[in-house]
Structures are given as structure tokens and as C-alpha cells.
Amino acid sequence: MDSVTKRIADKLARTRESMGLTLQQLANLADVAPSTIQKIEAGTMMPSIAVMMKIARGLHRKIGFFLDEEDGSAEVTLVRKRDRTAADGTDESFSVQSLTGDLVDPEMDGFMLTLPPGATSGEEMLHHRGDELVFCVRGKATFTIGGKEYALGPGDSLHFKSDQPHSWKNPGRSKAELILICSLPALSEKSILKSATAAHNLQTGQAHK
């Protein structure tokens, strides 16, 4: 197991357990299969970026949470280019570098995607609440949002409500680099635990009447 896979496995298991969530409960919140979460925690599966995004949002965390060495605690962070933490998809379709640090209760997430020719976000459409801002640094990218396609070239940007089903791909013959900024709910650990408890009570029929 490489260091990045182990870090993700350990953080996922530790965070899920601290929130009192079972595999099934987190799977419901993240909209992924329980077996997927189990394999990630066991270190036998390196999740794709799309799956990492789903699980992070299910835990009310930014995707960089799984790559950061520390949990969010700072009020100001500086991330040097040489210090960016990166993860690669198991199918080598793309890689992601976190642009954000361990800020306390972040309200947005930022990362750089590197997409080789033909790379896509996967067969499943993505959707999550909030806004998403995309800036194309180099190459080409096509976003499909609500059934409509938007072509991006160097210097182009795209801003949209990300609760609309969306996906992306690199239709070009060269590598593409995108900067993605996504809004996140600003939740404290107390709020996260409260949300997890409410979800647990709802699923087990123990909600107070």
C-alpha cells in the first residue's frame, strides 16, 4: 500500500468512526456502495477523484481533507507549489493536486486537475449543492451541465450551480489543466456530529417525535 492510499484509508476510517457512522450510513450519505468504502478503508482500493469527492461531501469535508497531513485548524494557510499534495486515479485517467490547506471550517475547496487526452469524470454524473468555478489553464475541456455542453479553452472560465447533474472530459489530443473551486458547507465538528446523529436516527427509526 503506497503512502497516499494508506493516508486516505486511515483518515476515512478514523473520521467515519468518530462520527459514529456505519459503512452503510456513510454509503447512503455519499451515494456510493458500502463495499467501495470498505475496500478504501482496507487500503485495497485507491478511489477515483469522483468517488473521493462524493465521500468527502458525505462527511461534510473538502476533498483535500484526505490528502492533508493535519486536520483543519488554521485560520490562514499558504500552500507552495512544491508542497502540493497529489493523488492519482487508479485508472491513471487524471490526477488532482489540492490547492487548499488545513483551514478551520472551510467554505470552499480548490484543486488542480490534470487530464490526459480522453480522460473523463466517469460514467456517473456528479451533483452536489453549492457553486463550482472552473478555470482552464491549458488544453481543452468540455463540461456537460444539465444536458448542455460547454467547451473551454485556455483562459476560459465556467461558473455554475453544482446541484445540476454535470460531468467533464478532455476531448483534445493534449493534456488539459483545470483549476476547480467548489463551495462547501461551513460546518464545525459539532455540526457534523449532529448531522450524523440525525441521519442515524432517521435510518434506524429512533428520531424523536
Side-chain angles (χ1 to χ4, degrees), residues 63-128:
I63 189 173
F65 167 76
F66 291 115
L67 304 177
D68 295 337
E69 293 286 355
E70 303 295 336
D71 292 344
S73 59
E75 294 191 357
V76 178
T77 65
L78 172 63
V79 181
R80 301 287 187 189
K81 181 178 180 180
R82 64 177 179 272
D83 297 328
R84 288 180 196 161
T85 309
D88 299 314
T90 51
D91 57 2
E92 299 183 351
S93 62
F94 49 71
S95 66
V96 62
Q97 287 187 318
S98 177
L99 301 177
T100 54
D102 57 341
L103 203 68
V104 63
D105 290 339
E107 294 189 24
M108 64 179 183
D109 193 11
F111 43 96
M112 176 172 282
L113 288 179
T114 301
L115 289 73
T120 73
S121 57
E123 294 182 4
E124 250 186 274
M125 299 294 281
L126 304 171
H127 59 89
H128 45 85

Side-chain angles (χ1 to χ4, degrees), residues 177-197:
E177 289 184 354
L178 307 174
I179 293 176
L180 271 68
I181 306 296
C182 304
S183 58
L184 289 175
L187 295 176
S188 63
E189 190 68 26
K190 183 177 180 181
S191 299
I192 294 171
L193 292 172
K194 183 177 179 181
S195 298
T197 301

Side-chain angles (χ1 to χ4, degrees), residues 1-12 40 43 45-47 49 52 66-69 84-89 96:
M1 187 189 312
D2 62 48
S3 60
V4 174
T5 302
K6 185 177 188 306
R7 186 185 308 164
I8 292 173
D10 292 345
K11 274 210 166 185
L12 176 55
I40 296 171
M45 174 183 177
M46 176 63 183
I49 304 305
M52 285 176 64
F66 291 115
L67 304 177
D68 295 337
E69 293 286 355
R84 288 180 196 161
T85 309
D88 299 314
V96 62

Side-chain angles (χ1 to χ4, degrees), residues 19-22 24-26 28-30 58 60 191-207:
M19 293 174 65
L21 294 172
T22 65
Q24 184 62 60
Q25 288 166 352
L26 178 54
N28 292 342
L29 292 171
H60 297 291
S191 299
I192 294 171
L193 292 172
K194 183 177 179 181
S195 298
T197 301
H200 172 71
N201 289 340
L202 181 63
Q203 292 162 2
T204 58
Q206 297 174 357

